[in-house]
Amino acid sequence: MVTVALDAMGGDYSPEEIIKGAFDALKKDKDINVILVGKKEVLEGKITEEYKDRCSAVYATEVITNEEAPVAAIRAKKDSSIVVGMNLVKEGKADGFVSAGSTGAVLVGGQLIVGRIKGILRPALAPLIPTEKGVSLLIDCGANVDARAEHLVQFARIGSLYMEKVIGIKNPRVGIVNIGAEEEKGNALVKETMPLLKECDDINFIGSVESREIPKGGADIIVCEAFVGNVILKLYEGLGSTLLGKIKDALMKNVFTKIGAMMIKSSLKETLKSFDASEYGGAPLLGLNGLVVKAHGNSKANEICNSILQCKSFKEEALSDIIREKMTKN
Amino acid sequence: MVTVALDAMGGDYSPEEIIKGAFDALKKDKDINVILVGKKEVLEGKITEEYKDRCSAVYATEVITNEEAPVAAIRAKKDSSIVVGMNLVKEGKADGFVSAGSTGAVLVGGQLIVGRIKGILRPALAPLIPTEKGVSLLIDCGANVDARAEHLVQFARIGSLYMEKVIGIKNPRVGIVNIGAEEEKGNALVKETMPLLKECDDINFIGSVESREIPKGGADIIVCEAFVGNVILKLYEGLGSTLLGKIKDALMKNVFTKIGAMMIKSSLKETLKSFDASEYGGAPLLGLNGLVVKAHGNSKANEICNSILQCKSFKEEALSDIIREKMTKN
């Protein structure tokens, strides 16, 4: 059994969609338990008879909002859903914690409460992004910008373990985001990191990846500093939604196009589903003594459900233990 | 009259599409002259009777390839199409130079041959990118990474002049690429640049722009360091092509979707045309004593034509003079 603590208070569609996501996960997988964390008045009476055996509630009187400064909020609001949920992981009462709440608070809480694995310099926020070939791991998209070369090397290592163990890609290809394929291209950080990655015999480093190759599936693990990762992630989302909006406009132009739209609708929907980030669950915060998953702020039940299911593979593969072991060796 | 020197040897589709682009521009605008620069054996006999009065050829015996190191190539190949074309600008025989050849060579040649405007610390490669609202200027996407705050401030200034004078956007909004809208977010460079941009009373600075806002038209001038700019530009192109490929697959799935596709085809094409980067011509290299435009390596006639037309607005608005004047004042 895997037990997942779920922040019922976080995200634009909480608590309804969050709770629905929990029930969907419980329905899909009988080996999952969920602990809903949130205000008593919000959760009381919400857990249906059907899931009563595998779903419980732990109350928290406070909520951390997106507007609050993360470090101060984590320190001050000891009874917030994020702090209470993370303490459940720390105390071993839950295997993982999922939240669609404040990214900053989740990142800070992960480090301060759940704690880094010994040897890990920085935990990394590593979302899966859809590509033509399936899915790639974008590491790091976190809040700690201006990384050093040694951080990027660790990202490459723990990202490789995640893709191999949790996602099931054998010998995953590691690329570093760069502005050209040639050896001499890059900024100071990339130039410093490149030879270090080449020396790693425990990863399958394939060199530079230009950003235009990312959607084509140019590498399985896309290593970059968090500022660049954040730019890539948000542009992926923004451009995708803009292009789909344009296509919708074109389909709704006149009666003729509307009929055409009906004829292609299901095929289009199916094709684009594979490019929907919510299908892959939230972004794990890798390198902690336990699993913390950050779901999008606008997550609906589907993403929450997938984030919970993701925790199961993580636990089954004992990824934290594997990373810990690796860090002791290197 | 505006005279544009055109590198007939550069780009994947040279010389045919390049020459066709020149003729298209000459046809569209009677106030344009084009000087084709390239090998004698390639150009001889190519200029048709129709355009003979406004189109001439200047021969260059060498070509700089994408594989060559830019600085060495510009220095060694004095009779290459890029060096010869840029010398035409330097000597005042042409108002602008357009090339779809090696980006590195165009950037280096621009600085070494055409030369920076006095006071300009770094010229910037600034492509126009399509957005929901029209078009934004992404500055800088050049080869000089690891910029300093004072460079970004100049980019904001010269980008504003370009958007106002050449593209015709009144009081254009300047945003700096950042990973959050909050004041405390950003890397060291952004944090250092932010207060400097706020102090500029000659630009309309609107603060941070997250990359997801770029396709929505979140700012008219998107200021960033070249590494980040390059990542944004190439992801824009890559993701666009991947999504359109997915949509094509969906439309070709079966007989039913193929009929639907026929019904929406023209509407879709029209809508997506506004999102086609080639409609906006190439990227100007701003801050030089003359106009240099870098067109995509895969440019066809349409982009070359638009790049030539772009030179006209640049000349008419005397942008180099305006930038020069501005630099003397500040």
Side-chain angles (χ1 to χ4, degrees), chain A residues 210-211 216 234 241 250 267, chain B residues 210-211 216 231 234 241 250 267:
Chain A
E210 287 194 81
S211 60
K216 322 259 175 249
K234 287 177 180 163
S241 106
S267 167
Chain B
E210 288 194 80
S211 61
K216 322 260 176 249
V231 165
K234 287 175 180 163
S241 104
S267 167

Side-chain angles (χ1 to χ4, degrees), chain A residues 132 146 177 179 187-188 210-212 216 227 231 234-235 237-238 241-242 246-247 250 253 267 270-271 274, chain B residues 132 146 177 179 187-188 210-212 216 227 231 234-235 238 241-242 246-247 250 253 267 270-271 274:
Chain A
E132 282 177 22
D146 297 320
V177 176
I179 59 171
N187 58 13
E210 287 194 81
S211 60
R212 74 157 64 88
K216 322 259 175 249
F227 189 92
V231 165
K234 287 177 180 163
L235 186 57
E237 294 169 4
S241 106
T242 290
K246 287 241 156 217
I247 288 160
K253 202 182 169 198
S267 167
E270 193 188 307
T271 309
S274 67
Chain B
E132 282 177 22
D146 298 320
V177 176
I179 60 170
N187 58 14
E210 288 194 80
S211 61
R212 74 156 66 87
K216 322 260 176 249
F227 189 92
V231 165
K234 287 175 180 163
L235 186 56
S241 104
T242 290
K246 287 242 155 215
I247 288 160
K253 203 183 169 197
S267 167
E270 194 186 307
T271 309
S274 67

Side-chain angles (χ1 to χ4, degrees), chain A residues 89-271:
Chain A
V89 176
K90 188 188 177 184
E91 293 156 9
K93 291 175 186 160
D95 300 300
F97 175 65
V98 172
S99 176
S102 156
T103 307
V106 171
L107 290 168
V108 169
Q111 296 199 55
L112 295 184
I113 302 167
V114 179
R116 275 175 292 166
I117 289 172
K118 206 184 156 188
I120 290 285
L121 302 167
R122 267 190 190 186
L125 187 68
L128 289 168
I129 56 172
T131 73
E132 282 177 22
K133 289 185 187 160
V135 73
S136 298
L137 191 79
L138 185 63
I139 185 168
D140 173 32
C141 296
N144 293 310
V145 294
D146 297 320
R148 294 196 306 272
E150 62 206 271
H151 298 141
L152 297 194
V153 172
Q154 281 200 343
F155 297 163
R157 285 210 164 102
I158 57 179
S160 291
L161 291 173
Y162 188 84
M163 287 307 271
E164 186 147 356
K165 305 292 178 185
V166 179
I167 307 299
I169 295 175
K170 284 227 164 78
N171 199 26
R173 297 160 301 145
V174 176
I176 185 167
V177 176
N178 203 355
I179 59 171
E182 302 84 356
E183 193 76 6
E184 74 280 5
K185 286 271 174 82
N187 58 13
L189 177 65
V190 170
K191 284 179 184 167
E192 194 188 336
T193 309
M194 194 76 83
L196 301 179
L197 287 173
K198 276 186 193 156
E199 277 170 22
C200 295
D201 49 15
D202 54 346
I203 61 166
N204 177 15
F205 182 56
I206 60 166
S208 293
V209 174
E210 287 194 81
S211 60
R212 74 157 64 88
E213 297 304 320
I214 297 175
K216 322 259 175 249
D220 300 308
I221 295 120
I222 316 278
V223 174
C224 55
E225 174 275 321
F227 189 92
V228 170
N230 202 290
V231 165
I232 292 172
L233 182 67
K234 287 177 180 163
L235 186 57
Y236 230 83
E237 294 169 4
L239 191 57
S241 106
T242 290
L243 283 173
L244 295 184
K246 287 241 156 217
I247 288 160
K248 266 186 198 158
D249 289 350
L251 297 181
M252 289 298 121
K253 202 182 169 198
N254 55 42
V255 179
F256 205 61
T257 60
K258 281 179 189 168
I259 298 169
M262 282 168 58
M263 300 177 84
I264 60 162
K265 199 177 167 186
S266 76
S267 167
L268 194 60
K269 216 171 166 180
E270 193 188 307
T271 309

Side-chain angles (χ1 to χ4, degrees), chain A residues 245-323:
Chain A
K246 287 241 156 217
I247 288 160
K248 266 186 198 158
D249 289 350
L251 297 181
M252 289 298 121
K253 202 182 169 198
N254 55 42
V255 179
F256 205 61
T257 60
K258 281 179 189 168
I259 298 169
M262 282 168 58
M263 300 177 84
I264 60 162
K265 199 177 167 186
S266 76
S267 167
L268 194 60
K269 216 171 166 180
E270 193 188 307
T271 309
L272 293 177
K273 200 181 169 188
S274 67
F275 237 78
D276 179 358
S278 71
E279 288 296 313
Y280 303 102
L285 190 51
L286 296 177
L288 299 179
N289 288 312
L291 179 60
V292 172
V293 175
K294 171 65 183 77
H296 285 92
N298 62 1
S299 287
K300 295 208 172 175
N302 188 45
E303 178 166 346
I304 297 299
C305 169
N306 287 324
S307 298
I308 294 170
L309 297 175
Q310 198 182 352
C311 292
K312 198 186 160 191
S313 323
F314 196 94
K315 164 80 185 297
E316 282 178 350
E317 295 292 341
L319 200 74
S320 294
D321 295 340
I322 295 173
I323 295 177

Side-chain angles (χ1 to χ4, degrees), chain B residues 57-70:
Chain B
V58 166
Y59 299 134
T61 56
E62 296 169 299
V63 174
I64 295 176
T65 66
N66 286 329
E67 287 67 39
E68 292 176 79

